[in-house]
Amino acid sequence: MSHTDQLQRFSFDNTDIRGEIAHLETAYQEVVRRHNYPPLIAGVVGQLMAATAILSANLKFAGRLTLQMRMPGNITLLQAETNEKGQLRAIARYDENATAADLNFTDGSLVITMEPEQGQRYQGITAIAGGNIASALEDYFAQSEQLASRFWLAADGERFAAGLMLQKLPTPAGKEADLDAWDRVNHLAGTIKEEELLHLPAATVLHRLFHEEQTRIYPASELSFFCTCSKPRIAAAIAQMGQDELNSMVQEQGKIDITCEFCQQHYSFDQAQVDALFSSQPLH
């Protein structure tokens, strides 16, 4: 795995501000390669993957976090998923006529879903009004979590994607707040150049931006591409259609062909395999 597939957590001593830097290389390239996205779409997919990697730090349990942008127009869906291990996958649904003008996200909704393996599912939804993925996320955290947050996201459409987040946490009772810290740290972060964010190691970025602050860096965690699809999972999904419908499809087509929309893995089911779905026989 590339050393750049990492999530780096940091904080500032004597303030209530935390941050994350995500760098994606191999994981991002896997998604771009499997889908052959045009550069325009690959760019926003990379930004969304970087944002989702950053949000994976919020997963304190075994489960899945999904970040979706649902929109009208020529780009209708951007979606990325991660689990508590930092394993990512992503898709986009778009019209071939999409242009740079369609990246002005001023309508639609941003949806964050957290699905623990044990426990209750949580979903937060906010309207998209900010014009890009970073602004939409900032609006989400302000409205749904009441946390002041800033995001800087970048992707080159081919090899690298990265993101930087700052978040202002509530000041604990009895602790004196550094009233200037949020504005000061945001101003420093705002000087980051896209090339620096994409290509420099997290420690170098943090030193360049915040060398005048007391920055605390924590151990980095790995990020990777991973798809959760499998033949048993696909079989369970198509079984919901019912035996008669599946039998009819096999009679018409000779077999049932399914391609995972996330990883493009191909699965086939013949008549014997369909029969096995509705019996006690194991699926082969």
Side-chain angles (χ1 to χ4, degrees):
M1 176 181 295
S2 167
H3 71 279
T4 58
D5 288 89
Q6 287 188 342
L7 179 65
Q8 179 67 66
R9 185 164 63 98
F10 63 94
S11 63
F12 301 97
D13 291 353
N14 307 315
T15 76
D16 300 301
I17 301 171
R18 74 177 191 96
E20 307 276 353
I21 295 180
H23 280 119
L24 294 169
E25 183 177 356
T26 305
Y28 178 47
Q29 290 172 22
E30 280 291 321
V31 171
V32 173
R33 177 181 66 81
R34 290 165 187 266
H35 293 273
N36 195 29
Y37 289 133
L40 180 78
I41 301 300
V44 287
V45 167
Q47 290 182 35
L48 196 73
M49 288 182 69
T52 304
I54 286 171
L55 297 184
S56 71
N58 294 333
L59 279 173
K60 308 300 184 185
F61 50 79
R64 178 172 61 182
L65 181 148
T66 302
L67 178 57
Q68 284 185 332
M69 296 186 73
R70 304 171 182 168
M71 299 158 292
N74 289 325
I75 302 174
T76 57
L77 176 71
L78 298 171
Q79 179 173 328
E81 298 178 1
T82 185
N83 59 18
E84 77 284 357
K85 299 175 183 177
Q87 296 173 322
L88 296 146
R89 63 181 190 172
I91 56 168
R93 295 192 185 126
Y94 61 97
D95 188 278
E96 292 181 358
N97 296 320
T99 66
D102 293 300
L103 300 183
N104 185 24
F105 304 135
T106 55
D107 199 4
S109 57
L110 181 144
V111 183
I112 296 179
T113 307
M114 300 180 77
E115 300 173 272
E117 291 181 4
Q118 305 290 330
Q120 191 169 357
R121 179 175 181 265
Y122 165 82
Q123 188 170 78
I125 304 175
T126 188
I128 297 172
N132 56 41
I133 296 172
S135 298
L137 283 165
E138 289 165 6
D139 289 345
Y140 169 83
F141 277 100
Q143 296 173 26
S144 299
E145 309 289 339
Q146 284 77 54
L147 291 174
S149 308
R150 291 292 311 277
F151 286 82
W152 291 264
L153 304 171
D156 65 6
E158 295 180 357
R159 293 191 58 194
F160 300 103
L164 166 66
M165 182 201 73
L166 294 176
Q167 196 163 71
K168 188 177 187 299
L169 303 174
T171 303
K175 180 179 178 181
E176 184 176 348
D178 182 344
L179 299 178
D180 297 325
W182 180 245
D183 288 341
R184 185 176 70 246
V185 170
N186 266 280
H187 175 75
L188 295 171
T191 65
I192 186 72
K193 296 180 175 62
E194 188 170 295
E195 286 296 306
E196 294 175 321
L197 184 56
L198 284 174
H199 299 297
L200 294 180
T204 304
V205 171
L206 292 174
H207 177 73
R208 285 196 179 190
L209 295 179
F210 308 120
H211 59 272
E212 296 177 359
E213 301 291 323
Q214 291 181 286
T215 309
R216 186 174 298 273
I217 302 175
Y218 301 89
S221 56
E222 290 189 344
L223 302 168
S224 62
F225 172 82
F226 179 75
C227 191
T228 57
C229 75
S230 65
K231 190 146 191 172
R233 281 176 178 254
I234 300 295
I238 66 171
Q240 302 298 315
M241 299 171 65
Q243 190 168 9
D244 290 343
E245 178 67 20
L246 295 182
N247 286 342
S248 176
M249 292 173 67
V250 172
Q251 289 168 12
E252 289 178 11
Q253 304 167 18
K255 59 181 178 179
I256 299 172
D257 290 319
I258 304 289
T259 299
C260 174
E261 64 178 343
F262 281 97
C263 70
Q264 303 298 298
Q265 177 68 43
H266 181 72
Y267 298 95
S268 290
F269 298 85
D270 59 21
Q271 186 64 62
Q273 290 171 321
V274 168
D275 292 342
L277 295 180
F278 300 94
S279 71
S280 58
Q281 299 298 316
L283 179 68
H284 297 289

